[in-house]
Amino acid sequence: MLEKCKSAKERWGGVSEIIDGWLEERQELISQFVHIPEQHINEDLNNRVQGFCQVLMDYLSSGHFEVYEQLLREGSDFADGSLEEAQKLLPKIQLSTDIALDFNDDFSSLINPTVQQIRDFSERLSQLGESLEDRFELEDQMIAVLHTSHKDLVEG
């Protein structure tokens, strides 16, 4: 039993560090998001949007290709039903991924926007914000289901 706990700690102890780093990325994403509307439509705003889109893409990539993968592997290894519960969250998270990718495609290189593009930008930024808020809640649920529930076993 002690050997199993030691093995779990070795295997899953680093997941907390991955999650912590990812949550720091989330804070940066939120910070950049709230500062975008502070600027008028000009070159500075274009730079802010480009920077925000880069942080957004980095955050999404880290989630899908690092954090979720580790969390799902942990849930699979513990085989306690948490994996199945977490897999129900993935399609909901994917909806926000699609919204974010579309936003990036449409606005990451917006230069000299038209009035219509400015209107679209404001509406889409608001939609993206709502989607990210939902996503963060779902991701927090995934962390709770797949990692926090095993934390005592890993750190024990």
Side-chain angles (χ1 to χ4, degrees), residues 21-32:
W22 184 56
L23 294 176
E24 287 176 20
E25 285 183 45
R26 181 191 287 183
Q27 287 301 104
E28 176 64 21
L29 178 64
I30 292 169
S31 176
Q32 287 199 23

Side-chain angles (χ1 to χ4, degrees), residues 86-136:
Q87 285 178 324
K88 294 176 187 173
L89 300 172
L90 290 174
K92 297 175 185 177
I93 291 172
Q94 185 61 44
L95 293 174
S96 68
T97 300
D98 294 342
I99 290 169
L101 291 173
D102 289 344
F103 182 90
N104 180 70
D105 290 347
D106 293 343
F107 298 108
S108 65
S109 60
L110 190 62
I111 300 173
N112 299 322
T114 66
V115 173
Q116 186 60 47
Q117 287 173 317
I118 294 168
R119 286 186 190 131
D120 290 346
F121 174 78
S122 295
E123 183 180 316
R124 297 274 300 285
L125 185 64
S126 177
Q127 178 188 29
L128 177 64
E130 291 172 12
S131 174
L132 288 174
E133 187 175 347
D134 292 343
R135 177 191 195 92
F136 298 155

Side-chain angles (χ1 to χ4, degrees), residues 34-124:
V34 299
H35 288 96
I36 289 174
E38 293 178 355
Q39 299 297 315
H40 298 288
I41 302 299
N42 59 26
E43 186 175 317
D44 187 46
L45 177 62
N46 293 334
N47 290 336
R48 283 182 184 266
V49 172
Q50 287 174 356
F52 167 75
C53 285
Q54 184 60 54
V55 171
L56 177 63
M57 293 299 102
D58 291 346
Y59 180 81
L60 297 177
S61 294
S62 293
H64 282 282
F65 301 114
E66 187 174 352
V67 178
Y68 302 167
E69 184 177 302
Q70 289 293 326
L71 289 171
L72 293 170
R73 191 173 307 136
E74 182 178 336
S76 176
D77 283 359
F78 279 94
D80 60 359
S82 60
L83 178 63
E84 292 76 16
E85 189 175 337
Q87 285 178 324
K88 294 176 187 173
L89 300 172
L90 290 174
K92 297 175 185 177
I93 291 172
Q94 185 61 44
L95 293 174
S96 68
T97 300
D98 294 342
I99 290 169
L101 291 173
D102 289 344
F103 182 90
N104 180 70
D105 290 347
D106 293 343
F107 298 108
S108 65
S109 60
L110 190 62
I111 300 173
N112 299 322
T114 66
V115 173
Q116 186 60 47
Q117 287 173 317
I118 294 168
R119 286 186 190 131
D120 290 346
F121 174 78
S122 295
E123 183 180 316
R124 297 274 300 285

